Amino acid sequence: MEDQFDGRGDFAADQTIAILSTDLGEEHTEYRTEDGNGSRISGNSRRLYEGADNVSGRAVNPGNAVASLAAGREFGVARDATILGVGVVQPEGYQDRPGGGFDLTIKPEDMLSGIDHARGNGADVLAIHSVVTDPDTTQAQELGAKISEAQDDGIIAVVPVPVEGELRDDNGNSIGVDATTEFDSATMDRLLVVGGIKSDDSRPDGAGLPHSDSRDRFIVAPGDPVFAAFGNDSADAQYAGPFTAMGLVSGGAALLNSYYEDVTGSSPTPKDVADRLLATADKSFSGYDPDQHGQGVLDMREALTAQGALTLPGMSSTSVRNTQMELSSAFGDALTGQDALADVLTFDSTDWPFRVDLRSRVRQQESRYLDRHMDRLANMGPQYAESTPYGGYQITSGQPAGFAHGSYQRGYESMSLWVDQGPWTMTLQSHADPYLATAYQSMPQLDGLRLMGGGPGRAHMASWREASGASLAWSLGDALTVGSQVWTGRDGESRYQSLEDAPRVHRAEVMASVRPYSGVTLGVDVARQYQPEGLFGSSGSAGLQPGGGADTTAAGVTLQWQALAPLTLFSRYEHGWTEVDGTGGLVSDFDRLQTQSTSIGGVWEDASAKRWGLVYSQPLRVRSGDVQLSVPHALDGSDGVQFQRYSVDASPSGREQNFEVFLDMPLEARQSAVRLNLLYQLEPGHVADAAPAWGAAAGYQTRF
């Protein structure tokens, strides 16, 4: 049971179990504290034997059996609980029988005052030795009313089912009545009625049965034989009878009561605890009979095990199983292993609380740069183009097989169609990988760079798969170009198996490029990008969603300098500001997100279209911002959920830096091509303590 209790500390040290039975053998080692230096018997215990003469030393044994099985150090279930002894058997009521048996006589007034004593001294559980009263319904009703008052105080009442010898004498004459027959429905609905079973799961001879109104509240536990405390010394003995089973059930009730309070910060009702023990009782054994075994055999391991699916409270019963999130590479290791998610309040299908660790449910996105690059190398087909004074087209075909990502299944890598009318140019275009295209028509030297790391393309479109757009541009010769463009596509950097399942993303941008000096082009672009779901390629489900929609304003600056006829130097900086809609989940909001990316490099392209170059880049990274977490933490005592709020830095611990050399070399009149890339990374994935990494790719392409 220790593993089920999840190491949450002691075993019901905050609970007090009142044993309404004989006085206890208070010096017994079963009642010692864990360190052995103190006693767990409450100083407020009530003793009826003090000062009595000629009381048998065995008179403490019935109470000892119940107390040691409920909370004994060796035998007990709730072995750290405080034990409140409440004597309800007068010394003269104890009579030895030949052979070691005993009779117990309990005066009604002692039982009623004993319950009041327990209520006034902090009892959480009442273990009532007997509910047999004289054949007088008034006494039974008074006992039921007193137990009901205790239940109203939040105390769990556990009573044994009477044995036959308590109700009838040897001649079959009625000598007592099962008081539960006179309890009202509200009392019965919160009660635990207990019986004992033997080691073979059968009921002992002469064992009593619950009446029809209490059968739904009846649970059995080992009762014949059971080892428990004996006398006032350290010895033990085997006991039999319903009071031994009652000790085990009382300890179980205290343990569950303590567990609930520890997990939720709120106290359960007596019905909550009783219903949990009854619902998780074992019925699977051979010979189970609801008339004999009621709801089954006490099973504390099952009671502390989640039943059915766990859900997050206060979040429309969001499934814990489906709660997970994969953050895009821009976030690096932010949120992974976040301690705020280490202790989350959840409930199972029976509304019993559990705390779970969800830290592993937030994962850093696996690096896919090599896969994406293989897409680019393997799927670029031949290029077809034609240009006239009035417009033209350009198509780079794609391969619909091999390494093809879903976006390449359309049969092309990129396609554009443009119409020129004086200074105006209108363009329609579509890309399987829009990151290959720069923002500016005036910088064709930077288009189509197949890099493993970051490049001069739009960084906030780096996670896109398949994009279609239209643009309108106005040019003043070569000196100035201004224009606008709209895009729609799919954000496919996530785990979506089908491109059609990936979330839509939309973008509108304005741009301008100027040539202040010969060979120098400066471009500026500003864009608004909206994602109804997802965030920079992040994905999530259930209680861990990366926002309910993201609206990003991105600004970029690109500088190109044709230093020599074949050499083009470039640099690009891009910065974004993102507003994210809340989700109502564990990730409640993202605040003031800012992102950035940088690249600088050189491309050498000769007359044969051979291109090689060196590029340094820092891919898109969250520069600053916070993630707001709202974690179910406790109950407020009136069925409301209390949330713990956390603000977590959204930026990763490191900064990825890529150093890459590449070669694109057409062969045989451009019917074939060789492509080579070599990449070295520092702090890959934006993780500060990540080891440096390198990657290499080579491709050969031929046209048949």
Side-chain angles (χ1 to χ4, degrees):
M1 189 167 62
E2 285 85 349
D3 58 332
Q4 302 300 105
F5 213 54
D6 196 30
R8 302 198 70 85
D10 50 62
F11 283 75
D14 58 344
Q15 298 292 295
T16 297
I17 304 175
I19 309 298
L20 282 77
S21 182
T22 63
D23 287 3
L24 304 179
E26 298 182 8
E27 300 303 317
H28 201 288
T29 56
E30 276 292 280
Y31 308 136
R32 291 291 175 183
T33 55
E34 185 175 11
D35 60 12
N37 296 324
S39 173
R40 287 182 295 115
I41 298 292
S42 170
N44 296 320
S45 295
R46 185 178 82 173
R47 302 167 182 82
L48 298 184
Y49 291 176
E50 291 179 346
D53 296 329
N54 302 318
V55 175
S56 168
R58 287 170 35 256
V60 299
N61 286 342
N64 266 13
V66 177
S68 62
L69 290 168
R73 176 58 55 193
E74 180 178 355
F75 304 119
V77 178
R79 57 176 178 251
D80 293 305
T82 298
I83 302 167
L84 179 67
V86 183
V88 295
V89 180
Q90 294 286 353
E92 60 270 21
Y94 186 93
Q95 299 176 4
D96 283 320
R97 281 183 180 174
F102 51 83
D103 287 332
L104 293 177
T105 300
I106 300 175
K107 295 180 179 180
E109 59 270 23
D110 288 336
M111 181 61 77
L112 298 180
S113 64
I115 293 175
D116 281 337
H117 184 85
R119 290 174 60 198
N121 287 280
D124 298 289
V125 178
L126 298 181
I128 300 174
H129 189 96
S130 175
V131 288
V132 174
T133 61
D134 291 341
D136 178 354
T137 58
T138 300
Q139 290 184 6
Q141 291 169 354
E142 289 176 347
L143 179 58
K146 190 61 69 175
I147 290 175
S148 182
E149 290 175 4
Q151 291 173 331
D152 291 341
D153 292 342
I155 302 173
I156 305 160
V158 184
V159 303
V161 64
V163 299
E164 289 298 324
E166 291 182 283
L167 303 178
R168 294 174 181 82
D169 61 18
D170 294 339
N171 297 319
N173 298 316
S174 176
I175 58 175
V177 64
D178 180 354
T180 61
T181 58
E182 298 297 327
F183 290 4
D184 61 27
S185 60
T187 305
M188 289 301 304
D189 202 36
R190 297 177 286 179
L191 195 65
L192 281 167
V193 181
V194 181
I197 56 172
K198 296 192 293 186
S199 58
D200 61 1
D201 295 327
S202 65
R203 299 294 308 286
D205 295 337
L209 295 175
H211 60 85
S212 58
D213 291 339
S214 65
R215 191 165 297 155
D216 289 344
R217 315 303 299 173
F218 184 48
I219 187 172
V220 294
D224 185 19
V226 176
F227 280 98
F230 180 83
N232 283 301
D233 54 26
S234 60
D236 56 57
Q238 287 185 321
Y239 289 88
F243 56 84
T244 57
M246 186 181 64
L248 295 172
V249 174
S250 299
L255 194 63
L256 284 192
N257 207 42
S258 176
Y259 173 88
Y260 192 104
E261 292 176 358
D262 180 47
V263 169
T264 69
S266 179
S267 297
T269 66
K271 179 173 172 56
D272 289 335
V273 174
D275 285 353
R276 181 67 179 184
L277 290 176
L278 294 166
T280 57
D282 182 19
K283 302 181 180 70
S284 64
F285 57 91
S286 176
Y288 168 72
D289 180 350
D291 291 333
Q292 293 287 328
H293 301 98
Q295 301 306 303
V297 179
L298 175 71
D299 189 341
M300 288 306 300
R301 184 176 294 276
E302 191 67 14
L304 291 166
T305 300
Q307 307 297 305
L310 290 174
T311 58
L312 295 165
M315 299 181 183
S316 302
S317 299
T318 298
S319 168
V320 171
R321 173 179 293 180
N322 297 328
T323 293
Q324 54 188 320
M325 183 167 65
E326 185 179 78
L327 286 172
S328 76
S329 55
F331 288 92
D333 55 355
L335 282 186
T336 56
Q338 181 54 238
D339 289 340
L341 298 175
D343 205 26
V344 181
L345 177 64
T346 66
F347 285 85
D348 70 3
S349 59
T350 67
D351 290 330
W352 192 256
F354 291 87
R355 289 196 176 273
V356 296
D357 186 346
L358 296 181
R359 285 177 293 184
S360 64
R361 301 298 186 90
V362 179
R363 299 186 298 275
Q364 181 181 0
Q365 197 171 77
E366 295 180 6
S367 175
R368 295 183 174 91
Y369 76 86
L370 187 57
D371 294 336
R372 294 196 62 174
H373 189 63
M374 292 302 294
D375 283 346
R376 295 164 182 163
L377 291 185
N379 295 291
M380 190 189 85
Q383 188 177 95
Y384 306 91
E386 184 172 346
S387 180
T388 73
Y390 306 104
Y393 71 89
Q394 178 176 298
I395 298 175
T396 302
S397 64
Q399 306 295 327
F403 292 96
H405 191 282
S407 58
Y408 283 93
Q409 298 291 347
R410 304 291 184 251
Y412 62 85
E413 182 186 72
S414 63
M415 177 175 60
S416 62
L417 173 67
W418 66 91
V419 176
D420 289 325
Q421 186 64 40
W424 296 95
T425 301
M426 183 178 69
T427 305
L428 299 176
Q429 56 184 312
S430 183
H431 296 274
D433 191 346
Y435 192 46
L436 291 175
T438 65
Y440 314 101
Q441 296 175 347
S442 56
M443 300 182 183
Q445 297 87 347
L446 303 183
D447 273 352
L449 291 184
R450 283 165 173 75
L451 300 175
M452 301 174 77
R458 302 167 177 85
H460 287 86
M461 294 178 73
S463 62
W464 285 35
R465 285 293 185 270
E466 191 174 67
S468 299
S471 66
L472 181 65
W474 179 83
S475 299
L476 181 62
D478 293 333
L480 172 66
T481 300
V482 295
S484 64
Q485 182 156 297
V486 293
W487 292 96
T488 183
R490 293 190 182 273
D491 191 355
E493 185 72 359
S494 54
R495 52 187 170 80
Y496 298 100
Q497 296 298 315
S498 171
L499 185 66
E500 282 69 21
D501 294 333
R504 277 284 181 187
V505 59
H506 312 282
R507 178 182 174 106
E509 59 190 1
V510 294
M511 62 201 76
S513 62
V514 297
R515 292 190 174 180
Y517 305 104
S518 176
V520 176
T521 304
L522 174 65
V524 178
D525 54 280
V526 178
R528 290 291 298 272
Q529 183 169 305
Y530 178 69
Q531 297 177 253
E533 59 179 296
L535 180 61
F536 310 141
S538 301
S539 63
S541 59
L544 281 170
Q545 297 275 3
D551 195 346
T552 299
T553 299
V557 178
T558 303
L559 178 64
Q560 176 183 288
W561 177 33
Q562 288 188 284
L564 299 172
L567 175 63
T568 300
L569 302 178
F570 73 89
S571 64
R572 177 169 173 83
Y573 176 79
E574 190 168 328
H575 199 103
W577 298 262
T578 302
E579 296 291 332
V580 184
D581 296 334
T583 66
L586 294 170
V587 178
S588 59
D589 203 359
F590 290 80
D591 286 344
R592 302 179 302 278
L593 280 185
Q594 294 190 45
T595 47
Q596 64 179 183
S597 71
T598 304
S599 64
I600 184 170
V603 179
W604 183 287
E605 183 172 1
D606 61 20
S608 66
K610 178 175 67 176
R611 294 199 300 182
W612 62 271
L614 171 66
V615 178
Y616 166 82
S617 64
Q618 294 180 10
L620 190 68
R621 175 185 182 272
V622 174
R623 178 178 180 271
S624 62
D626 299 313
V627 181
Q628 304 301 319
L629 300 178
S630 182
V631 180
H633 176 71
L635 298 179
D636 62 9
S638 57
D639 296 329
V641 180
Q642 294 180 349
F643 290 86
Q644 189 76 38
R645 313 290 178 177
Y646 300 90
S647 183
V648 181
D649 188 0
S651 59
S653 62
R655 186 184 303 274
E656 179 179 313
Q657 299 181 76
N658 296 323
F659 302 86
E660 183 171 3
V661 294
F662 68 92
L663 169 66
D664 283 350
M665 183 170 62
L667 302 172
E668 302 171 10
R670 304 191 183 185
Q671 297 298 304
S672 302
V674 172
R675 296 185 175 87
L676 303 172
N677 292 76
L678 181 63
L679 173 71
Y680 181 75
Q681 292 182 318
L682 296 176
E683 299 184 356
H686 299 308
V687 178
D689 57 356
W694 68 274
Y700 172 76
Q701 184 181 58
T702 188
R703 181 179 177 185
F704 297 98

